[in-house]
Each structure stands twice: as C-alpha cells, then as structure tokens.
Amino acid sequence: MKYLLIALLFLMISSNSDGQTNDTTRAKDEERIKRVLTDFTDAWNKHDAKAFSNVFAEDADFTNVIGKGSTGRNEIEKFHAPGFATRWKDSYQKITQSKIRFIKPDVAAVDAWWEMTGIKGPDGQDMPQRKGLLNFIMTRKSETWLITVMHNMDLSISQ
C-alpha cells in the first residue's frame, strides 16, 4: 500500500509539472507569435519589402484583400516592393487586437484586426482610414514562428 501511495504521488507531481511546462511553453509561443505580428507591422511601417517577407515561411502563401497573391518568401517580397515605393510609402498599419488558437503545438491559427492610414489611391489621392482582418496560419520550427498562410480582408467601417 505504501508503494502504491508513493507511485500515485509521483504520478500526480509528474502530471502537474507537465501541465506547468505546457502552460509555460504555450505562453512563450504566444509571446513569439505576437512578436511576429509586431515584426510584420514594423516592416510594413518601414516600407521594407525584404523585412516584411522575412516573417513568412520560405514556401508561404499570401493572399491580399482583392484575392491576388503570391507563393514563396521571395515572391511575397517582389509583390510588396512596388506598393511600398508608391501607394503604401506613407502608410501606417497597426494591429488593434489579435486572437491565437493553437491547432497543434507547432501550428496556430491567428486572427489580427488591423487599421491603416496614409494610403494613396491609384490616382495618388489620400484614402480614408482602412480596417481589416488578417487570418494567418503560423507554424513553428524549433523556437521560430513564421507565417505559412495569410489571407487579408477589408472590413467595412460600419461593422
């Protein structure tokens, strides 16, 4: 009986420490994912297509608000470079809210609501503030989280 109690106590301690480790790991992963979101907006606000593309996985898929996109980090950089030099060169984007849901320990679905000012229309005129929602699938390799799939959408201001 004594050995059974010791074994049960050991199992309880082991399962509790595993839970704490998982909670600690999850908190660190959430922090790292939020850092990707910060790096995403920092690169956007510097209008740096190379830095912007670096938050994406090598084989990432990107789709913008009008359904156009590109595949691969290099193509994502090429896709954004002309916009950063023209229509978006004075833009400022911020993420106002985010939600993270872990699908697996190394896969997360992330929603990020954004606002943007300073964008120019095709005719060069200032456009009103925009709001939208970014949907990401992020994956982790080792301790690094990257965007693997991204879909962007505009949200009407009345919502």
Side-chain angles (χ1 to χ4, degrees):
M1 181 72 170
K2 178 180 171 183
Y3 294 110
L4 180 60
L5 289 173
I6 291 171
L8 286 173
L9 182 60
F10 178 75
L11 285 173
M12 288 172 50
I13 291 169
S14 295
S15 66
N16 187 32
S17 67
D18 287 347
Q20 289 174 346
T21 300
N22 288 339
D23 289 346
T24 301
T25 300
R26 178 154 293 189
K28 285 181 181 177
D29 282 334
E30 286 181 5
E31 193 176 298
R32 289 179 180 122
I33 287 169
K34 288 179 182 178
R35 182 72 220 168
V36 172
L37 297 178
T38 298
D39 291 346
F40 178 95
T41 55
D42 285 352
W44 182 279
N45 294 332
K46 291 175 184 170
H47 314 107
D48 183 338
K50 179 71 168 172
F52 183 80
S53 70
N54 283 335
V55 299
F56 290 85
E58 284 290 338
D59 62 346
D61 288 314
F62 160 85
T63 306
N64 72 8
V65 296
I66 60 171
K68 294 187 178 195
S70 53
T71 297
R73 184 181 289 160
N74 292 334
E75 293 303 313
I76 292 168
E77 178 183 353
K78 289 178 194 174
F79 186 94
H80 285 84
F84 284 146
T86 57
R87 296 187 61 203
W88 307 322
K89 71 178 181 176
D90 297 318
S91 66
Y92 178 81
Q93 182 181 56
K94 68 179 178 178
I95 292 178
T96 59
Q97 178 183 349
S98 63
K99 180 175 87 172
I100 300 168
R101 178 172 181 228
F102 289 94
I103 308 299
K104 297 181 358 182
D106 59 346
V107 178
V110 180
D111 289 337
W113 287 261
W114 57 267
E115 294 178 359
M116 184 183 298
T117 57
I119 193 166
K120 304 283 186 197
D123 59 359
Q125 296 295 316
D126 290 336
M127 293 183 65
Q129 177 186 33
R130 291 173 53 195
K131 294 183 179 185
L133 175 63
L134 296 162
N135 303 118
F136 299 113
I137 300 297
M138 291 191 190
T139 54
R140 181 185 61 170
K141 290 188 180 170
S142 187
E143 294 183 1
T144 303
W145 284 89
L146 293 169
I147 300 165
T148 304
V149 178
M150 179 189 137
H151 292 120
N152 192 3
M153 65 183 83
D154 270 321
L155 298 177
S156 72
I157 293 177
S158 64
Q159 289 182 336

